[in-house]
Amino acid sequence: MPWFRHPIHYRLLDPANTTPGAARPLFSEESAVQVLLAPTALFAAPIRMSLRAYVPLEVEFAPQQWLSSRRVMIDSGAGLSTFSAEWAREFGIALPPRSCRLQLDTATGRVSVTVYDLDLNVRFPRLRDCPFSLAVVFSEAHPPTTPPLIGLHNLLNYWRFTFDGSFDPAAAMGHMRFDTL
Amino acid sequence: MSRAPKPGVPARPFWELEPVSTDAIRSDHVTLPSVEDQLPSMGDLLTLPRLARVAYAARAARRVQPLFEKLWPSAPPREVEAVRTAVSFAEQIAEGKSVAVPGPDRSFPARAAGLAANAARRSGTTLLTLAGIRVSAYSAAEAAAHAAYAGVIFDAEFAFNATYHAALAAGDGATVIEAVYHDFDSLHQTGSRLRWTDETPVPVSILGPLWPQTEPDWWREANRTEPNPRPQPKPDLRPETRPDFLDRAKRILGGDIRPDDYLPVTQEVEAHVTRDLAFAGEHVQKQFEAGRIPAAFEIDPNARFDEFGLTVGAKQRNEWLLSLYYGGQNIACIENEHGVIVLAVGLKNSAKLLDAFPYEQRKDVQFDAPDRPDTFGW
C-alpha cells in the first residue's frame, strides 16, 4: 500500500525566563547572533525545542483546482480538522450557507464559535494519486494565519499515521509515516 | 504612600547617575538600578486587588505610548498597532471586559508588543532626546508588553515591570514616578474604601487626568501635531510586497529566476540554523550515551531524509527565513535548495496570485503563514 514519511520539524527558541528571582524578563534579544552562537550549555532548561508535526497538503478549492498548503498541522489530540473560514473564503472555497455554533473547550477556556461543515477533497503532494475527502470544520475563530489543523475525524478512514522517534541523520527528532488503508 | 526617597537613593535624577551610551540601549537599562528603588515595590503592588494592578500597569504604559510612534516615525504599522493594542488590552482587562484576541493564546497582545520592542531596538533610532529629555521608544513598547502581560498573568512583577519600563522610556523619570505614585495611592485608597476584591473592575478613568500635576514637556512634544505631515513609513522595498508583484510572479513562474529573487540569508538566519543543528547533534549524542541508539552520528546539513525532501540545512534555513521575514503573515512562496522566493504577501495578494495562474503553472507555489520567530507552538 502506498505510504510516505515526513520529518518532524524542530527549531530552538528562547522563552523568556519568568522564574522568581531570575533576571527581569526582557523581550528584547541580547545581540541576536551572539546569543544564538553561544555555547551549547545554553540548551539547558527551560524547554527550548519547538517540535512541529507539519506536512504539506493540497486542497481542491474549486473543481480540479488545487492549492498547495505548505504546512498543515497533524494533531492527534484534536477530534476535528479545523481550517480558518476567512482563509477559505479568500481562496474561493465555497462555504455552505448554513453555519452552526460549536462549544469548544480550549486551553484558555470555553469558547463558542461559528463553524461551517464541508467535505473537502485533499491530497498529500507526495501521494497525489491518493486524494481523499476530509471532513473539515471551517471556523470563524480560526485566524487565517493559523495553519490548518488536521484532527482525527475521518482522517483515520483513509490513513494510518505514525509518529516515529527513530533517529535518522536527516530527521534527528523523528518523522511521521502515513500509510494508506 | 510616602514619596520620600529611600535611604541610599541619590536625589539626582537617574539619568544623571551614569553616562548613557546612545549606541547601546540595553546598557542604559542595566546601569540604572535606582529607578527600581524609586517605584512602588512588588510587595506594595501585592496590596492592590488584581484588576487594580492591571489598571496601574496600563496607566503607566499609556503615559509613554506616544513615544513609540514619535521616536520611530517609520515604524511599520504592525508594530505601532501592536503597542497600541497592548495598552488598550490591559485597560480593558482592568475594566473587567472580555477582550477577544487572535488565537487561543491570551498573551498574544503582550507578545506582539514585545516583538515591537525588539523591532524598535533593531531600528537603532529609538533612544532620542525630546524636549531636552532622553526618551526611548523601545522602553515604551516594553512597558506596553508588560502591561498586557499583567492583564493575562496578573503577576505583580509584570505590573511593576510596566512602571519600570515606563520610567525608562521617559528619561524624565521624575514625572513618571510622581504619576505612578499618584496612581498607586488612588487605587490603594479607593480600593480600601470601597472594599474592592480581585474581581472588581477598575476603569482607568477613575484615576483622573493622565498627568496629575503638569504634563511633562516631552509628552506634549510627543503629542504635538506636526506642522508638516508625519513622515510616511518608508515603502517596503521587498519586491514581493510591491503592487506589481503579479508581474514579478509571472516572470519567476515562467522560469526567469534571478539570484536576488531569493530572500537574503542574513547572519541571524545562519546563526539560527547553526544553533539548531548543534542542538540536534547534542541531542543525538545524549541519546547515544544513554544507550537509546546503537551509534552516535553527526548531523550533516547536506543529508536528505529521502529523495523528495530538501537537505537538512536547507530545510532549517528556509523555515527561519520565512519566520524572520514573514512570520505571522500569509504568503505564497517557492522553496528549494537555493532558498525561498516569496511571490505574494498577505492573504488577499496570495488569493490574487492563486487566481492569476493555473495550477500547472503554479504547482510549486506553496501557501503558508510561517510561525513568528518566537512562537513556541500550540
Side-chain angles (χ1 to χ4, degrees), chain B residues 299-318:
Chain B
I299 301 295
D300 178 4
N302 297 313
R304 286 178 192 275
F305 187 60
D306 55 31
E307 69 272 31
F308 301 102
L310 299 174
T311 59
V312 171
K315 181 79 179 155
Q316 293 298 125
R317 178 202 60 209
N318 291 357

Side-chain angles (χ1 to χ4, degrees), chain A residues 1-2 119-122 124 130-135 152-161 178-181:
Chain A
M1 299 299 281
D119 288 340
L120 202 58
N121 289 334
V122 299
F124 293 112
C130 302
F132 58 102
S133 178
L134 184 69
L152 294 180
H153 184 77
N154 103 331
L155 183 69
L156 296 177
N157 292 359
Y158 309 99
W159 299 92
R160 171 191 304 119
F161 66 92
F178 291 80
D179 292 85
T180 53
L181 294 181

Side-chain angles (χ1 to χ4, degrees), chain B residues 268-285:
Chain B
E268 186 178 4
V269 171
E270 289 175 345
H272 273 295
V273 174
T274 300
R275 194 172 71 148
D276 285 349
L277 298 183
F279 175 81
E282 188 175 272
H283 181 65
V284 168
Q285 183 64 31

Side-chain angles (χ1 to χ4, degrees), chain B residues 5-347:
Chain B
K6 297 179 184 177
V9 176
R12 285 188 301 154
F14 69 82
W15 65 91
E16 291 179 4
L17 295 178
E18 299 284 347
V20 174
S21 162
T22 53
D23 59 0
I25 296 171
R26 186 172 174 77
S27 70
D28 298 341
H29 299 178
V30 297
T31 56
L32 298 171
S34 63
V35 176
E36 298 182 68
D37 298 335
Q38 295 181 56
L39 292 164
S41 69
M42 273 187 272
D44 296 333
L45 298 186
L46 286 171
T47 65
L48 294 177
R50 192 172 62 164
L51 294 182
R53 278 201 301 269
V54 181
Y56 171 83
R59 184 76 156 181
R62 173 63 74 194
R63 288 194 179 97
V64 295
Q65 181 240 324
L67 289 174
F68 186 81
E69 298 163 48
K70 180 71 178 182
L71 300 185
W72 192 16
S74 61
R78 184 177 71 172
E79 314 298 5
V80 172
E81 192 57 33
V83 174
R84 289 180 183 168
T85 301
V87 177
S88 169
F89 173 83
E91 289 172 340
Q92 292 180 70
I93 293 292
E95 289 179 26
K97 291 181 178 170
S98 174
V99 188
V101 298
D105 185 353
R106 302 287 300 161
S107 67
F108 178 86
R111 290 188 294 107
L115 290 175
N118 280 343
R121 191 156 164 265
R122 279 196 297 266
S123 77
T125 59
T126 65
L127 184 65
L128 299 176
T129 298
L130 201 60
I133 299 295
R134 198 176 290 280
V135 285
S136 163
Y138 158 75
S139 295
E142 287 275 14
H146 283 279
Y149 260 120
V152 178
I153 301 176
F154 302 112
D155 189 307
E157 182 171 4
F158 288 110
F160 177 83
N161 288 346
T163 57
Y164 171 80
H165 285 291
L168 290 182
D172 180 12
T175 49
V176 169
I177 292 169
E178 190 75 45
V180 162
Y181 268 90
H182 171 269
D183 292 344
F184 180 84
D185 288 342
S186 297
L187 291 166
H188 197 267
Q189 289 165 13
T190 311
S192 300
R193 194 175 70 247
L194 300 179
R195 298 176 189 279
W196 282 349
T197 69
D198 279 346
E199 313 307 322
T200 306
V202 182
V204 289
S205 57
I206 69 165
L207 292 168
L210 196 58
W211 297 99
Q213 304 296 327
T214 53
E215 296 163 351
D217 290 342
W218 61 260
W219 188 84
R220 271 199 290 269
E221 181 69 18
N223 285 281
R224 189 168 60 87
T225 306
E226 298 285 350
N228 298 317
R230 181 174 182 262
Q232 291 301 304
K234 284 183 186 171
D236 191 331
L237 298 178
R238 294 283 327 145
E240 58 268 23
T241 63
R242 293 179 192 152
D244 62 350
F245 72 97
L246 284 178
D247 293 336
R248 175 176 175 269
K250 185 177 179 183
R251 168 178 62 76
I252 292 168
L253 295 177
D256 179 8
I257 298 176
R258 302 165 189 170
D260 61 359
D261 288 330
Y262 289 93
L263 290 177
V265 178
T266 62
Q267 199 181 3
E268 186 178 4
V269 171
E270 289 175 345
H272 273 295
V273 174
T274 300
R275 194 172 71 148
D276 285 349
L277 298 183
F279 175 81
E282 188 175 272
H283 181 65
V284 168
Q285 183 64 31
K286 283 180 179 169
Q287 300 302 312
F288 171 66
E289 289 167 2
R292 297 194 189 104
I293 55 174
F297 54 82
E298 297 291 323
I299 301 295
D300 178 4
N302 297 313
R304 286 178 192 275
F305 187 60
D306 55 31
E307 69 272 31
F308 301 102
L310 299 174
T311 59
V312 171
K315 181 79 179 155
Q316 293 298 125
R317 178 202 60 209
N318 291 357
E319 290 291 345
W320 277 114
L321 274 170
L322 286 169
S323 193
L324 289 166
Y325 278 94
Y326 290 113
Q329 297 182 67
N330 289 92
I331 55 152
C333 69
I334 297 171
E335 68 173 321
N336 54 38
E337 277 298 308
H338 302 298
V340 179
I341 300 173
V342 174
L343 299 172
V345 178
L347 189 60

Side-chain angles (χ1 to χ4, degrees), chain A residues 10 29 50-52 72 92 142 147 167:
Chain A
Y10 76 97
E29 303 133 304
S50 167
L51 288 177
R52 302 297 234 176
V72 298
H142 204 77
F167 284 94

